[in-house]
Amino acid sequence: MDLTYSPGDQAFRAEARAWLDAHVPAAPLPSLETEEGFAAHRAWEAGLAADRWSVVSWPLAYGGRDCGLVRWLVFEEEYWAAGAPGRVGQNGVNLLAPTLFDHGTEEQRARILPPMARGEVVWAQAWSEPEAGSDLASLRSRAVRADGGWLLSGQKTWSSRAAFADRAFGLFRSEPDTPKPHQGLTYLMFDLRAPGVTVRPIGRLDGKPAFAELFLDEVFVPDEDVIGEPGSGWRVAMSTAGNERGLTLRAPGRFLASADRLAALWHERGRDPYTRDRVADAVIGARAYRLFTYAAASRFLEGEPLGPESSLNKVFWSEYDIALHETALDLLGGEGEAADAGGGWGEGYVFSLAGPIYAGTNEIQRDIIAERLLGLPKGRR
Amino acid sequence: MRFLLDPEQTAFARSLDALLTAADTPAAVRSWGAGDHAAGRALWSRIADLGVFALAVPEAYEGLGPRPVEVAVAFVELGRHAVPGPSVETVAAAALLSEPRLAHLAKRFLPGVASGGTVMTLALPGGGPYVLDGDVADVELGVGVTGAGELRVAREAAGPEGGTSRVRRSLDPARRLCLPRPGGELLATGPPVVAGAAHAVRWARLATAAQALGVGLALLDRTVAYVKQRSQFGVPVGSFQAVRHRLADAKIALEFARPLVLGAALSLDPADVAAAKVAACEAAYATARTALQLHGAIGYTAEYDLSLWLTRARALRSAWGSPGECRAVVLGDGADAGFG
Ligand SMILES: Cc1cc2nc3c(=O)[nH]c(=O)nc-3n(C[C@H](O)[C@H](O)[C@H](O)COP(=O)(O)OP(=O)(O)OC[C@H]3O[C@@H](n4cnc5c(N)ncnc54)[C@H](O)[C@@H]3O)c2cc1C
């Protein structure tokens, strides 16, 4: 049982910190949910990639540093502590890339990963449909066999950042008459600017086009853009879902940095007695999440799969994130009403509100915890 | 970097669990609360034989420690079985007397703690107004609240003069609260006492947090088992989503408190220890509320064993620093041990 870093890990931390100190922009970038912000974030990620900091855990060949889980955690702590920008490429980096490592071909990895690492090709996740939310397997968009590939038709929705992104990945029904809904699905990648694709941005609560609806009308996708075997898309997609909820979606460094900023704000604001306990809880929660993640990483490094424990993570961070931002806004008092309230708290608050909804709603996660971790009987859903 | 218990630590927890499962601990808890300490003292000796108290005592005084991680592991098990008695206080007293400048006192008291022969209790600034189980402990220590620090032994060797009249009932019937005795032999004064007392508060909070975590885990286990076998409307109540989701929330709170307790044992930093105390006690208390609700009326009875953990969860929340006091320490806004 120990929490000390090896000299190599410490040197890595120092190197990351020095680079970030020299490069993190002094003023925050514009919101990445705007066209101008999107461009600014792409440029930032290109700079990160130039010095191999955009995807530290990937193999060298694809632009990474081939560093293990502990160094990835260390890097994330430094990244967020330095006040570096949110990642526009995160859907690709956190969701598609792990899927390609597990199920893609060598050709796909070589073609897709390096431009993803550089922010040149930004990816959107096209899973949800108007009639397929929590019950994702009920999806109806089709993939029909064509010469050398597939024709995609149907409607996807809530696709984060699709308003400005370049390509998307998602599930399509390739065999219409299977006995079970999660059979006969194929996992494909497609171009958001291909003929037959219409992207309609949707404003989130604050009106920013943070996600979009996609209308697909016989969009051609070549065979090279199928991930895994046609028909086995559900299995491929579920390995991505595990990543999303588990270790990679929310590194503890992000919350540690936010909790530090909140505590500093509280001290600056005269140690406001009304928010004191909630500020303390934010500090405690960030520490708990960090240590929980270190324990999970330690188990993972010893060969244990992540499994349903990721559902504990997902509910914890999503509720934590809201509480943290609500506390900051309350501490700011009347100033907290301003959408651009100091320190990005307003923007962060709007973003946090969606946490319990995406990546599998918290109700669905609690069902997984109840059945698979507590062994409770299956209920009527 | 390997933030996981090693196989010996896991095996130690298992053997303690096996001992306490076989020992009919609930009966010992009940008789302790009724003022009959024989079964509880017998249990204490067996726990000591496994080395639990020796882990808090330095090797120089016939102990195996100090080993805070192992102490935390042990206290999770003591909590899981609702073991009665001033175990937290005994460990805290050992921490106080381990202050290097109090070596003469260590020699006098600590070998007895390590062997299990001496049950200790103590009152410290930062620890609340009562001494726990002051009617039964062999040694009662008190630290004066004056800035200079003054350590006294208020009583040595248990005897009938313990005086049950001093006992106030706790919300947890198995915890017997006494007002500190005035006077007694002056053992030490000055900075060593102040430093030792601050150290003792950290150990007390750590052990309390671990014990609370164990209490919460036991409440969750028992409730999960109950809702699987209790049927209403023709199905197990555990198949209702409102029930399942409350238990899932309890599981989340407890599983995120656990690493805080172990992390605090590694660092013994006052803010880390306070954070662990807040998280573990809040998680245990929330689990107690859930456990009571999901048991229905049977959970609300003293006859049913669930009550032993329900009332313990409430008591531990205020023991050795209220949630508010501990949160203040987390923010660097409060005193660690009450000396300002
Ligand atoms: C900001 C944001 C970004 C998103 N980004 C993407 C993206 O990039 N790509 C993508 O594909 N999707 C994305 N989504 C969609 C997201 O995955 C879905 O919103 C989610 O799966 C829930 O589906 P739904 O919204 O249709 O809600 P529904 O499934 O209709 O659920 C409505 C309510 O009913 C509850 N409910 C449903 N079933 C059960 C049950 N069995 N037990 C208990 N309660 C239940 C839900 O928990 C929820 O509270 C995003 C959503 C948001 C808010």
Side-chain angles (χ1 to χ4, degrees), chain A residues 91 124-130 132-136 157-161 204 210-211 351 354 356-364 367 381, chain B residues 241 245:
Chain A
N91 275 326
Q125 182 195 26
W127 284 21
S128 303
E129 295 184 5
S134 299
D135 184 13
L136 180 64
T157 193
W158 313 129
S159 199
S160 289
R161 282 164 218 122
R204 68 171 178 192
F211 38 30
F351 182 69
I357 301 172
Y358 63 77
T361 70
N362 285 7
E363 285 72 29
I364 299 296
D367 269 339
R381 287 281 170 87
Chain B
Q241 212 168 39
H245 286 193

Side-chain angles (χ1 to χ4, degrees), chain A residues 39-40 69 74 95 200 205 228 322 338 353:
Chain A
L69 206 44
V74 164
L95 305 177
R200 188 184 76 84
L205 284 182
I322 295 179
L353 285 179

Side-chain angles (χ1 to χ4, degrees), chain A residues 101-122:
Chain A
F101 284 125
D102 289 350
H103 301 277
T105 64
E106 191 42 55
E107 183 279 325
Q108 286 173 332
R109 289 191 279 266
R111 170 164 55 95
I112 292 166
L113 296 177
M116 180 195 287
R118 294 191 295 267
E120 280 164 30
V121 176
V122 174

Side-chain angles (χ1 to χ4, degrees), chain A residues 212-230:
Chain A
E213 222 171 355
L214 312 176
F215 299 92
L216 308 173
D217 181 15
E218 305 215 318
V219 178
F220 179 75
V221 172
D223 281 325
E224 311 77 279
D225 281 345
V226 173
I227 311 176
E229 289 303 309

Side-chain angles (χ1 to χ4, degrees), chain B residues 26 28-34 37 82-86 132-133 169-177 308 311-312:
Chain B
V29 184
R30 289 180 186 285
S31 58
W32 187 280
H37 300 118
V83 168
L132 182 66
D133 295 314
R169 274 179 69 92
S170 156
L171 286 169
D172 174 3
R175 287 167 57 90
R176 297 163 67 81
L177 308 176
L308 309 182
T311 53
R312 186 71 51 87

Side-chain angles (χ1 to χ4, degrees), chain A residues 367 371 376-381, chain B residues 236 238-241 244:
Chain A
D367 269 339
E371 272 163 39
L376 290 170
K378 269 200 191 311
R380 196 157 8 129
R381 287 281 170 87
Chain B
S239 64
F240 298 124
Q241 212 168 39
R244 291 145 53 92

Side-chain angles (χ1 to χ4, degrees), chain A residues 1-2 4 266-267 271 276 281 287-288 291-292 294 298 302 316 363 366-367 371 374-377 379, chain B residues 1-5 224 227-228 239 241 244-245 249 252 255-256 259-260 263 266 272 324 327-328 331 333:
Chain A
M1 176 115 247
D2 91 281
T4 54
W266 180 80
H267 281 281
R271 306 184 163 202
R276 190 192 72 164
D281 283 347
R287 181 176 158 79
L291 294 178
F292 183 91
Y294 273 97
S298 299
E302 296 196 352
F316 185 87
E363 285 72 29
R366 287 187 175 96
D367 269 339
E371 272 163 39
L374 296 177
L376 290 170
Chain B
M1 168 62 65
R2 184 182 178 280
F3 189 55
L4 281 185
L5 293 179
V224 165
V227 302
K228 281 194 213 175
S239 64
Q241 212 168 39
R244 291 145 53 92
H245 286 193
D249 283 336
I252 294 166
E255 289 307 330
F256 279 87
L260 282 174
L266 280 175
D272 292 348
R327 286 185 170 107
L331 291 178
D333 194 37

